[in-house]
Amino acid sequence: MLLIKSNKVKLLLCSLIFSNLYAQTEAFDEKILSEKRLKNFDLTKEQIQEDSSKLRKDWINPITYQYTNNLGEDYKTQRSMISINQPIFQSGGIYEAIKYADNSYKYADLDLSQQKKELIKEALNILFRIEKTNLNIQKAQYTLENAKIDVNRKKEQVLNGFLDASYLDDALLTLNTTKHNLVDLKYQKEELINNFNNISSSDYTQFELPTFTIFSEKEFLENNINLKKIEADIDKKGNYSFMTMAKYLPSVNAYYNYSKYHETDDNIKLQKENDQTFGVSVTVPFDSRTFNDVQSKRIDYLKSKLNLENSISDEKTFFKSKLQKLSMLDERLQITKDDLEVYDSILKTINEEKIAQIKTQSDLDTLQNSQKIKSLDLKIYEIDKQLELLEMYVKLS
């Protein structure tokens, strides 16, 4: 699906198959980002995994070990104590805590993927704009040739008394403006290259631009990474809401305490060197803030569900707007194609008149340059379409 010539973008329509989209662009994605940026994403991914693993174990209380060395004047003792107080039932809170950790990982992983795709989109956007600038430079060069031809023509006509000098002055101003425009475009290209180098460690000429095509709204919504993030957030907040409620419900803990005196200095009071206790405790909390806390988390959960509905509406509007923009660009493409057909017809006539010495070579050159400019407009509109589709692609998971 990635079939483009470097620096000479040939935009070919092809079908976008979602099941293979990530696999087909994976290698391209890895190449376009610098090694340091990829390493940063890898480390963040690893950190997310570690945080998730830690969160899955949050319901497990630590085993406490305490060592005491009594240096009092009456007697000296060395004592070790081990304490375990572990919840074994929290009214469903343990299960929800594990699910909360899983959904937190899912959300963070999607967020990281979204950040990476945004950076890749930025790099691709720059590559497309570099190619578009190259085409605009070619257009400016043809425009410059026409401006020079027009100046020479006006100069001859003024010298022969056919035109007022103001016409020559206008032609010179147009020539000067075209020269400045060409200089600006060359600077814009260098600026874009520098921006690309901030993202990638490879030369921009080494990359082939991908070709994207339109897809259905259903596919767009089903594979929308932002919507998947919100869904993960809903699940996460649902788990947290239940965890909050479970915190105020009865819980059962298993406990074990063990203590040992290492040295007693033959103190009669400490003849019993070892001591251990174990059993089960039931806790029923009574907190005046229970309802407020539970209700607050429930509201947060309901807000996240409402946020999904609003986001689906936003994404539908986004998709519709992009379709309208693509339709507008297709209309411009068709208008330009119609113009080129007119140029072809006129050029045949001009060429015949030149042979008959009715028209000059400069007349033919001017029209040919204008035709080339129109041909470049076709390629620019195709790039504009790819830029719009790129904005859609970045939203896909």
Side-chain angles (χ1 to χ4, degrees), residues 87-97 239 241-253 282-285:
I88 56 176
F89 174 76
Q90 288 184 334
S91 301
I94 295 175
Y95 173 77
E96 291 297 329
N239 298 139
S241 176
F242 200 98
M243 286 167 58
T244 302
M245 182 174 63
K247 184 173 65 173
Y248 298 103
L249 296 175
S251 63
V252 179
N253 281 33
V282 178
T283 303
V284 182

Side-chain angles (χ1 to χ4, degrees), residues 124 301 332:
L124 287 173
Y301 171 66
R332 289 189 175 185

Side-chain angles (χ1 to χ4, degrees), residues 204-218:
Y204 80 97
T205 58
Q206 296 181 11
F207 297 100
E208 297 180 348
L209 293 175
T211 301
F212 306 108
T213 55
I214 194 59
F215 36 85
S216 70
E217 182 183 77
K218 180 182 177 182

Side-chain angles (χ1 to χ4, degrees), residues 41 44 48 103-118 225-226 228-230 232 236:
F41 280 116
T44 305
I48 290 171
N103 287 316
S104 293
Y105 170 80
K106 184 178 179 181
Y107 178 86
D109 187 53
L110 285 168
D111 186 60
L112 181 65
S113 178
Q114 189 177 41
Q115 292 177 35
K116 186 176 182 181
K117 290 184 75 67
E118 284 289 345
I225 193 169
N226 189 50
K228 288 181 180 293
K229 261 182 62 179
I230 297 173
K236 183 177 69 169

